Amino acid sequence: MNKLKSGMWISVLLMSMVLLSGCLNSETPAEKMHTVLEDAVAAEKGFEEQQTPLVELEKQEKELYDQIIALSMKEFEEIQKLSDEALASADQREEHMNEEKQSIDASKEEFQKIPDLIEEMEEEELKSEAQQLYDTMMDRYELHDALYNQYSEALNNDKQLYELFKTKDLQLEQLEEQITLINDSYEQVLETNKKFNAKTADYNEIKLSFYQAAGLNVNTEDE
């Protein structure tokens, strides 16, 4: 009988210790949100890694384009060769863009954990800041979707141009129409890219404000 009682007291004591430990280690909703934000940023590393190769490939294609239009039809074999190089470069750009999209989608998947954490918050002011942060980032993801679609269309127009260069009976009118189409599509890309960058700046500003409101002492430079 005494042994049974002793065992019960030990069990209760151990349970109390476990519960106390859980209370001491529990995170606030704001702290959990900070973890999600860090994970979302980490998921975008792939997005950042695609920027330099994309720019380099665009420059490469511009150089190939300049070489092609400087040639005459007497040098048709060289035009075909350079056009094939440009097509290969465009294919590489497409791969980088797809990797960028996958990275952004992974970031979005992480970020969609935020609404549940917002619901856990009790302070209305902090809740409002968190909601604004969430809405801004979701707008940013939406802009990237548009950017991806527009860039994909522009890339496809580039490929069509390179295929046209390989046509022996290419008419000047055809060439002009395709170049106009390309210029128009990249104007859309540039406009959306400006909006995307502006939304990214808005998000970073609101995130800092949220951290301050939540009393989180974190280093935002690497996020």
Side-chain angles (χ1 to χ4, degrees):
M1 198 72 159
N2 290 334
K3 287 182 180 179
L4 182 58
K5 282 184 178 179
S6 176
M8 287 175 65
W9 276 109
I10 291 171
S11 296
V12 171
L13 179 61
L14 288 173
M15 189 177 293
S16 298
M17 290 172 67
V18 170
L19 289 172
L20 180 59
S21 174
C23 291
L24 290 173
N25 293 326
S26 65
E27 289 184 310
T28 65
E31 288 169 336
K32 291 176 186 176
M33 187 163 163
H34 171 250
T35 300
V36 172
L37 298 185
E38 283 188 320
D39 290 342
V41 169
E44 285 200 21
K45 186 177 180 183
F47 162 75
E48 294 173 7
E49 290 172 347
Q50 308 314 313
Q51 304 312 302
T52 299
L54 273 170
V55 170
E56 290 302 316
L57 287 166
E58 287 171 358
K59 287 180 181 176
Q60 178 179 306
E61 282 174 53
K62 176 63 168 61
E63 290 172 2
L64 289 168
Y65 171 81
D66 289 342
Q67 290 178 49
I68 291 169
I69 61 173
L71 297 172
S72 68
M73 291 307 291
K74 293 178 182 178
E75 300 163 293
F76 186 63
E77 286 187 10
E78 181 64 15
I79 290 174
Q80 286 183 310
K81 175 178 170 294
L82 293 172
S83 298
D84 285 335
E85 287 180 24
L87 280 166
S89 177
D91 286 338
Q92 288 181 56
R93 274 200 291 147
E94 187 171 16
E95 289 176 12
H96 285 294
M97 276 300 298
N98 288 335
E99 287 180 29
E100 177 181 306
K101 180 70 163 58
Q102 288 172 10
S103 175
I104 292 290
D105 286 347
S107 175
K108 183 178 181 179
E109 187 175 347
E110 283 294 328
F111 211 81
Q112 286 174 329
K113 298 173 183 177
I114 295 293
D116 289 341
L117 298 176
I118 294 175
E119 286 300 313
E120 294 178 23
M121 295 178 184
E122 296 178 359
E123 297 176 35
E124 287 302 320
E125 186 177 342
L126 187 61
K127 205 169 186 176
S128 177
E129 286 255 18
Q131 187 63 51
Q132 186 182 8
L133 184 66
Y134 176 77
D135 292 341
T136 301
M137 190 59 144
M138 294 307 290
D139 287 345
R140 178 177 175 270
Y141 290 134
E142 191 174 326
L143 281 168
H144 188 271
D145 285 343
L147 185 59
Y148 172 79
N149 292 332
Q150 290 168 357
Y151 191 91
S152 296
E153 183 180 347
L155 184 59
N156 187 54
N157 289 336
D158 284 335
K159 288 184 178 183
Q160 290 179 29
L161 175 66
Y162 304 146
E163 291 291 354
L164 279 175
F165 281 139
K166 294 164 67 177
T167 306
K168 236 179 183 181
D169 59 349
L170 175 62
Q171 301 296 311
L172 181 60
E173 185 179 340
Q174 284 179 283
L175 186 59
E176 288 175 344
E177 284 179 2
Q178 189 62 27
I179 290 173
T180 298
L181 193 62
I182 289 170
N183 289 338
D184 290 345
S185 59
Y186 276 111
E187 277 183 23
Q188 285 186 322
V189 168
L190 288 172
E191 186 61 33
T192 303
N193 192 54
K194 285 180 184 177
K195 292 177 182 177
F196 175 77
N197 290 337
K199 192 62 69 173
T200 301
D202 289 343
Y203 167 77
N204 288 329
E205 186 177 332
I206 297 167
K207 181 173 70 172
L208 180 58
S209 177
F210 169 75
Y211 285 160
Q212 291 171 343
L216 296 175
N217 185 21
V218 296
N219 181 7
T220 59
E221 289 182 7
D222 297 327
E223 293 184 11

